[in-house]
Amino acid sequence: MPNTKIAGIGFYVPEQVVTNHDLMRHMDTTDEWIQERSGIVERRFAKRTEETTTTLGAKAAEIAIQRAGITKEDVDFIIFATLSPDYFFPGCGVLLQRELGITHTEIGALDIRNQCSGFVYGLSVADQFVKSGMYKNVLLVGSEVHSMGIDFSTRGRNVTVLFGDGAGAVVLQPTEEKGKGVLVSKLHSDGTHAEQLAFINPGCHAGYHFKKMGTEVDFGYEDVEFGGLFLTQKMMDDGMIFPNMDGPLVFKHAVTKFPEVIMEVLNDQGLSTSDINLFVPHQANLRISQLVQRQLHLRDDQVWNNIQRYGNTTAATIPIALCEAWEAGKVKDGDLICIAAFGSGFTWGASLIRW
Ligand code: COA
């Protein structure tokens, strides 16, 4: 059975740079607060009406495809991870196919909804397809345009200052080289705190989960015989259409689950943290990355962080960071790369890749 290797990697971030000082003109926040709590200095925002999650993903994909030495027509499966899709449906997978101009239909497109761990989940799915021999050129994309769906008033500041737009992509192919490629992935989930990091409205839940949890919320649904609206005026008036996040709760879980799952993949392979050449954590918060680094006794040169420049781009953070590290010559043939993510769901996971 072949292993799955990353044959090409690319990333794209919008040109528009938005600094913490720019955000301060819209909400009650400070550059010091943002930097001290998250490490973020600036982020990129997509050009409204000209760029979408799909188009950013397509730009990253084109680079990855070219670096893999294939053509767009060679791609036989698309996996698109995002929490900020262009449409509720269909997903960005087919929109990316169209954007790339792939007109043949000998291809499948799958959308992954695992938020911050979308890339790790996507890699694991792609790995199974490649290993089984079903597909030879899987295009995995993580892309987000958060700037279209966050609250730029002070009410949303705990979330809004953290997020940015961007995309990363990889082309995955089979390799017969022993011990190379994706060595292992471990995936986890726990729905207990689903609403604590969530984009709840619009949705088709009609308040069900809140009622079940005994925390009934008035979403402004009309009393009708059946059906109803997934977006109400009250949701818009009360700002219920923005992401909800219990930051401290997410932080607490993240700093526990990251080291756990990283040790799990290392133990699976009989490896230790000192064997890692480069650790590329999901970029949620520089403080989270630094705490994880310390817990795992990793040196600075073993870790790649770039949240300072891009903020949290959710499904895109890992491929963007991995691509930057690769471009900087930090990822060499034979290196052991560890990627790990934690996020909404909660879902989390890690993979080890021998480059
Ligand atoms: N600017 C200024 N003040 C802000 C602010 C902002 N952007 N956002 C929140 N605050 C305020 C809060 O209102 C609160 O004020 P209060 O003490 O008067 O009530 C205070 O800062 C502290 O808020 P808290 O949420 O406890 O801060 P924190 O130290 O936990 O940092 C996060 C907040 C969001 C940076 C941090 O919890 C975090 O990063 N969590 C993980 C988030 C994450 O990773 N999300 C993505 C998951 S993949």
Side-chain angles (χ1 to χ4, degrees):
M1 196 160 58
N3 270 358
T4 307
K5 69 168 180 185
I6 294 181
I9 184 161
F11 82 98
Y12 177 80
V13 288
E15 278 174 25
Q16 186 175 207
V17 176
V18 176
T19 65
N20 294 342
H21 291 277
D22 292 328
L23 292 180
M24 283 163 61
R25 285 190 272 110
H26 297 264
M27 62 186 78
D28 181 13
T29 188
T30 62
D31 179 44
E32 296 74 42
W33 193 97
I34 301 171
Q35 287 207 44
E36 196 187 299
R37 307 285 174 127
S38 71
I40 300 165
V41 179
E42 60 187 39
R43 72 285 293 142
R44 305 295 181 96
F45 281 171
K47 197 155 188 208
R48 212 152 57 95
T49 75
E50 283 180 27
E51 292 177 315
T52 74
T53 297
T54 300
T55 71
L56 302 190
K59 286 201 164 135
E62 277 173 354
I63 299 167
I65 288 169
Q66 186 247 323
R67 285 177 174 164
I70 61 167
T71 68
K72 293 172 199 173
E73 279 65 37
D74 296 324
V75 173
D76 46 15
F77 199 71
I78 292 169
I79 302 178
F80 202 118
T82 186
L83 69 68
S84 50
D86 294 9
Y87 299 142
F88 211 75
F89 74 88
C92 285
V94 293
L95 300 180
L96 179 86
Q97 178 189 0
R98 185 175 67 187
E99 190 71 18
L100 289 176
I102 302 173
T103 51
H104 72 82
T105 54
E106 300 308 308
I107 186 170
L110 174 73
D111 291 88
I112 296 255
R113 298 200 48 190
N114 285 80
Q115 295 64 251
C116 296
S117 43
F119 188 80
V120 177
Y121 266 73
L123 182 70
S124 178
V125 171
D127 186 27
Q128 312 313 313
F129 278 138
V130 173
K131 270 191 190 138
S132 71
M134 188 159 170
Y135 295 116
K136 300 251 173 313
N137 288 298
V138 178
L139 174 61
L140 168 61
V141 175
S143 180
E144 307 286 355
V145 173
H146 288 307
S147 58
M148 286 293 289
I150 43 181
D151 184 357
F152 287 99
S153 74
T154 296
R155 184 180 55 192
R157 65 183 179 174
N158 68 321
V159 171
T160 299
V161 300
L162 300 179
F163 291 92
D165 303 343
V170 291
V171 171
L172 299 152
Q173 291 176 348
T175 174
E176 295 297 341
E177 268 192 275
K178 268 231 147 338
K180 287 278 187 82
V182 179
L183 305 180
V184 60
S185 295
K186 297 285 180 187
L187 309 175
H188 294 279
S189 70
D190 175 2
T192 312
H193 303 292
E195 284 76 14
Q196 305 315 315
L197 181 53
F199 199 128
I200 287 160
N201 302 304
C204 304
H205 56 87
Y208 168 81
H209 301 287
F210 293 84
K211 197 169 163 187
K212 197 171 175 200
M213 289 184 293
T215 51
E216 211 154 338
V217 177
D218 178 8
F219 288 104
Y221 293 117
E222 278 174 24
D223 193 13
V224 291
E225 192 189 350
F226 43 68
L229 290 173
F230 56 61
L231 181 63
T232 67
Q233 192 60 47
K234 186 166 196 304
M235 288 173 192
M236 290 197 276
D237 294 344
D238 293 358
M240 297 158 115
I241 52 163
F242 296 112
N244 178 53
M245 180 179 78
D246 180 343
L249 181 88
V250 175
F251 197 101
K252 202 178 83 192
H253 280 81
V255 294
T256 314
K257 296 304 178 193
F258 266 108
E260 263 178 34
V261 73
I262 292 162
M263 289 315 298
E264 191 184 354
V265 288
L266 286 168
N267 289 337
D268 180 89
Q269 294 295 301
L271 296 165
S272 69
T273 53
S274 59
D275 294 311
I276 295 175
N277 296 99
L278 195 68
F279 170 47
V280 181
H282 162 58
Q283 303 289 293
N285 183 320
L286 191 59
R287 280 162 61 217
I288 294 178
S289 295
Q290 288 170 339
L291 275 168
V292 172
Q293 175 181 344
R294 233 173 290 149
Q295 284 188 59
L296 297 177
H297 306 291
L298 294 170
R299 300 180 310 272
D300 285 351
D301 65 289
Q302 284 175 288
V303 186
W304 190 273
N305 286 307
N306 62 8
I307 191 168
Q308 301 90 328
R309 284 172 286 124
Y310 303 128
N312 180 349
T313 57
T314 306
T317 65
I318 292 177
I320 292 176
L322 185 57
C323 186
E324 268 198 351
W326 178 81
E327 288 177 1
K330 286 281 294 174
V331 181
K332 295 180 289 298
D333 192 38
D335 277 357
L336 183 70
I337 311 298
C338 178
I339 62 171
F342 175 90
S344 164
F346 296 139
T347 61
W348 63 102
S351 303
L352 286 178
I353 305 159
R354 180 72 69 186
W355 206 265

